[in-house]
């Protein structure tokens, strides 16, 4: 089976649509996910920054896990730590009347994310470890959560299970870990992905249905054209494709096909008419032969009567021979075989010989035939062209009156030869002129039958001349005679 246009159209369309919808949905999901995570990460960073600020209020030894420095006055006690790591100055000792918790507990208590607890995300936890990995404060940490595996060089932010965690280095190499459950966000993102997929599939389904419908619409007229074309047969030649109901692109195809069908129909009609005319023409002499034979045999007759009957039969047979010859010549012309012998010939000699053949008939009809023939060479089939000339001259003689004249002229006109056969006959009515060269067409039916004409002469003339690349035509005015002309291309010079 051949490839279906509809399936291919649809496959392409589906591929492109899937890529577009998939790409768009993927991009949208990526953007929304990034935005949601950025929100969480910003919270975690703000919390870590708050814890870091609180840690900077701690004395250094509290963060490093070293022994506390000796108090003032104690041996080795120094103010500050020259050469030590830069750190925030230790908090000032409380005033003597200070009744609150001791400074360490106070500091630990103040080590909390910034802002009121109710403003924090639910389930938020944090842990702060000293540089020696001992915990300074742990709040809400999941049971299995210890300090991050290695102190983070740079802040690291990642998922740990369903939790999002940020680990940063605080002052004095302390480690701050802030986390919060992100399961709800992940679930939301999953729902969003499902919604996107469902919407994408919906768009895809609608798009593909539309595409299938359009593809069907595109293909349907082609099928209609094919159906009509297949219905058109020898018996249904008059059917046509309705080119007003197909799209513009196909309307051209429909018109071309309709033109072809039109020509086909005309050719069929011509053929049918030709066959009917040919049968009719052959029937007439056959009827004559039959009736003559029946009449002769109906009783015993005198020898002269038999001779007369036989002569009539011979005339009818001769007419049939002419007809059959003419039909064969036309059949050969239809097959492109009319005058296929191509030789360079002296056209004026061929014309002169053909005119001479007609002289006995002209003498009989008392018609004068004159010639004025300029030399001209053409390439062609001499016998076929001679028959054309003889037919034109014989017509000029036959459709003429006693004492009339036929003038045959041959001249060179540019790169063509122009032969004219002009008579002083009755002329041809304008309405008949376009049909003269059709098979079996007769302008004056009674008269042309009486001349013994077959009605094929001019049709044969046109077929032969056109097969030589020439043209044939007539100019006539009733009452003023007719002029038939034949144009043939001149032979290329130099060839003998
Ligand atoms: P036909 O054998 O009848 O002469 P043609 O094909 O030669 O057939 O001519 C077709 C018809 O053209 C003729 O029947 C006749 O009516 C008309 N015709 C041809 N030549 C002339 C002419 N020279 N003058 C008037 N009518 C002509």
């Amino acid at each position: 089976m051949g490839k279906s246009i509809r399936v291919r159209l649809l496959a392409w369309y589906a591929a492109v649509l899937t890529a577009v919808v998939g790409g768009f949905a993927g991009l949208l999901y990526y953007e929304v996910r990034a935005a949601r995570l950025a929100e969480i990460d910003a919270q975690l960073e703000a919390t870590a920054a708050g814890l870091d600020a609180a840690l900077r209020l701690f004395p250094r030894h509290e963060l490093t896990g070293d022994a506390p420095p000796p108090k003032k006055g104690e041996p080795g006690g120094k103010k500050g730590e020259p050469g030590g790591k830069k750190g925030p100055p230790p908090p000032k000792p409380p005033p003597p009347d200070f009744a609150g918790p001791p400074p360490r507990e106070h500091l630990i208590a103040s080590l909390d994310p910034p802002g009121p607890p109710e403003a924090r995300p639910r389930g938020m936890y944090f842990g702060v470890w000293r540089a020696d990995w001992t915990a300074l404060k742990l709040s809400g940490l999941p049971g299995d959560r210890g300090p991050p595996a290695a102190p983070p060089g740079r802040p690291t932010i990642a998922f740990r299970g369903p939790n999002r965690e940020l680990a940063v280095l605080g002052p004095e190499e302390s480690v701050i870990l802030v986390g919060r459950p992100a399961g709800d966000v992940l679930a939301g993102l999953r729902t969003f992905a499902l919604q996107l997929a469902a919407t994408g599939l919906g768009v895809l389904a609608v798009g593909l249905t539309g595409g299938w419908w359009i593809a069907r619409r595109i293909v349907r007229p082609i099928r209609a054209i094919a159906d009509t074309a297949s219905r058109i047969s020898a018996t249904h030649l008059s059917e046509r494709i309705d080119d007003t109901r197909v799209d513009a692109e196909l309307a051209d195809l429909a018109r071309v096909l309709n033109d072809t069908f039109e020509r086909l129909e005309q050719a069929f009609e011509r053929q049918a008419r030709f066959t009917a005319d040919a049968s009719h023409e052959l029937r007439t002499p056959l009827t004559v032969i039959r009736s003559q034979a029946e009449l002769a045999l109906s009783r015993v007759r005198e020898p002269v009567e038999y001779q007369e009957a036989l002569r009539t039969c011979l005339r009818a047979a001769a007419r049939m021979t002419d007809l059959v010859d003419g039909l064969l010549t036309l059949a050969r012309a239809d097959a492109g075989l009319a005058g296929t012998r191509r030789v360079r010939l002296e056209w004026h000699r061929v014309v002169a010989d053909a005119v001479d053949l007609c002289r006995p008939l002209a003498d009989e009809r008392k018609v004068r035939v004159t010639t004025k023939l300029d030399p001209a060479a053409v390439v062609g089939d001499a016998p076929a062209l001679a028959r054309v000339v003889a037919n034109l001259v014989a017509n000029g003689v036959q459709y003429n009156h006693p004492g009339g004249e036929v003038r045959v002229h041959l001249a060179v006109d540019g790169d063509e030869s122009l032969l004219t056969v002009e008579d002083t006959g009755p002329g041809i009515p304008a309405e008949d002129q376009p049909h003269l060269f059709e098979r079996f067409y007769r302008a004056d039916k009674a008269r042309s039958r009486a001349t013994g004409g077959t009605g094929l002469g001019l049709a044969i003339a046109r077929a032969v001349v056109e097969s030589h690349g020439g043209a044939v035509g007539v100019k006539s005015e009733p009452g003023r005679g007719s002029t038939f002309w034949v144009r043939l291309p001149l032979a290329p010079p130099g060839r003998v």
Side-chain angles (χ1 to χ4, degrees):
M1 216 177 88
K3 287 180 193 160
S4 153
I5 297 179
R6 188 158 38 145
V7 169
R8 270 189 295 170
L9 261 178
L10 210 60
W12 264 104
Y13 181 67
V16 172
L17 197 65
T18 310
V20 169
V21 170
F24 180 73
L27 199 70
L28 197 63
Y29 176 78
Y30 176 80
E31 287 295 328
V32 168
R33 184 177 187 275
R36 295 292 288 122
L37 291 186
E39 223 172 87
I40 296 177
D41 295 350
Q43 280 172 353
L44 295 178
E45 273 159 10
T47 308
L51 289 171
D52 183 278
L55 276 176
R56 286 181 193 279
L57 300 176
F58 277 63
R60 184 175 169 270
H61 68 271
E62 280 292 352
L63 300 176
T64 55
D66 297 342
K71 291 220 168 87
K72 240 186 204 173
E74 280 179 18
K78 272 185 216 159
K79 220 182 179 186
E81 282 187 65
K85 279 184 192 164
K86 241 171 92 187
K92 281 183 187 152
D97 58 342
F98 181 72
R104 187 170 184 278
E105 282 69 37
H106 175 76
L107 284 172
I108 296 280
S110 70
L111 189 60
D112 237 1
E118 61 275 11
R120 294 174 205 153
R122 205 145 25 98
M124 184 169 231
Y125 57 89
F126 70 92
V128 179
W129 289 267
R130 292 192 187 88
D132 64 357
W133 294 105
T134 52
L136 195 59
K137 181 164 183 178
L138 304 175
S139 165
L141 231 59
D144 61 338
R145 190 67 179 107
R154 279 188 293 147
T156 52
I157 197 154
F159 275 104
R160 189 182 156 88
N163 300 332
R164 185 87 170 154
E165 285 185 352
L166 167 68
V168 282
L169 222 48
E172 301 300 342
E173 310 228 316
S174 57
V175 175
I176 304 169
L177 177 94
V178 188
R180 59 157 283 186
D184 54 340
V185 175
L186 289 180
L189 283 173
R190 259 196 305 278
T191 311
F192 180 59
L194 283 176
Q195 282 168 346
L196 269 183
T199 314
L201 283 177
V203 168
L204 216 62
V206 171
L208 285 182
T209 312
W212 177 80
W213 184 75
I214 290 173
R216 222 168 76 107
R217 258 189 67 94
I218 292 174
V219 174
R220 199 167 41 192
I222 300 178
R223 178 145 299 161
I225 289 174
D227 286 348
T228 313
S230 62
R231 269 202 310 277
I232 293 175
S233 61
T235 43
H236 283 96
L237 272 173
S238 53
E239 263 206 62
R240 295 291 177 271
I241 298 160
D242 185 357
D243 60 7
T244 56
R245 292 184 55 192
V246 291
D247 298 324
E249 292 82 356
L250 292 175
D252 285 345
L253 172 68
R255 270 193 290 278
V256 169
L257 285 175
N258 279 344
D259 286 350
T260 311
F261 297 147
E262 183 71 38
R263 282 201 298 278
L264 204 64
E265 189 180 9
Q266 283 172 5
F268 250 83
E269 275 172 10
R270 265 201 310 276
Q271 198 64 37
R273 204 170 51 234
F274 179 60
T275 312
D277 288 348
S279 320
H280 180 77
E281 294 293 330
L282 285 170
R283 233 185 135 84
T284 315
L286 264 179
T287 313
V288 171
I289 293 172
R290 235 180 117 153
S291 58
Q292 283 295 316
E294 277 169 3
L295 197 69
L297 292 174
S298 59
R299 59 180 168 83
V300 178
R301 293 178 182 277
E302 294 297 312
V304 283
E305 285 179 299
Y306 286 124
Q307 278 175 0
E308 188 50 41
L310 283 174
R311 258 194 291 277
T312 310
C313 286
L314 266 181
R315 270 200 304 277
R319 183 172 167 73
M320 280 178 73
T321 310
D322 284 352
L323 266 170
V324 171
D325 282 351
L327 289 173
L328 278 176
T329 309
L330 280 173
R332 282 170 56 80
D334 287 345
L337 298 168
T340 41
R341 270 184 302 157
R342 291 283 185 269
V343 290
R344 184 188 170 93
L345 41 97
E346 294 182 317
W347 187 205
H348 49 286
R349 285 197 201 286
V350 176
V351 175
D353 291 347
V355 170
D356 286 344
L357 277 179
C358 299
R359 289 205 189 276
L361 179 72
D363 292 344
E364 191 187 308
R365 300 280 166 115
K366 303 203 170 28
V367 174
R368 203 155 69 94
V369 180
T370 61
T371 54
K372 181 175 174 298
L373 308 176
D374 293 344
V378 297
V379 174
D381 182 338
L385 288 173
R387 268 201 301 279
V388 171
V389 179
N391 183 260
L392 294 180
V393 177
N395 278 353
V397 170
Q398 269 168 340
Y399 302 103
N400 217 321
H401 51 81
E405 198 179 341
V406 175
R407 289 183 283 272
V408 183
H409 282 188
L410 178 64
V412 170
D413 182 17
D415 54 358
E416 288 180 324
S417 68
L418 175 61
L419 172 75
T420 53
V421 180
E422 190 184 348
D423 64 53
T424 53
I428 301 157
E431 67 269 21
D432 287 323
Q433 288 177 28
H435 305 290
L436 281 191
F437 296 89
E438 289 173 14
R439 297 164 188 197
F440 294 118
Y441 190 86
R442 292 177 173 113
D444 180 348
K445 305 205 169 30
R447 179 161 181 178
S448 49
R449 281 236 169 71
T451 62
T454 57
L456 292 176
L458 290 179
I460 293 172
R462 181 169 70 175
V464 170
V465 171
E466 286 181 353
S467 78
H468 281 75
V472 59
V474 64
K475 224 170 64 192
S476 178
E477 248 182 81
R480 295 209 174 173
S482 317
T483 304
F484 284 83
W485 54 264
V486 174
R487 283 181 180 278
L488 282 178
L490 289 176
R495 269 185 55 203
V496 186

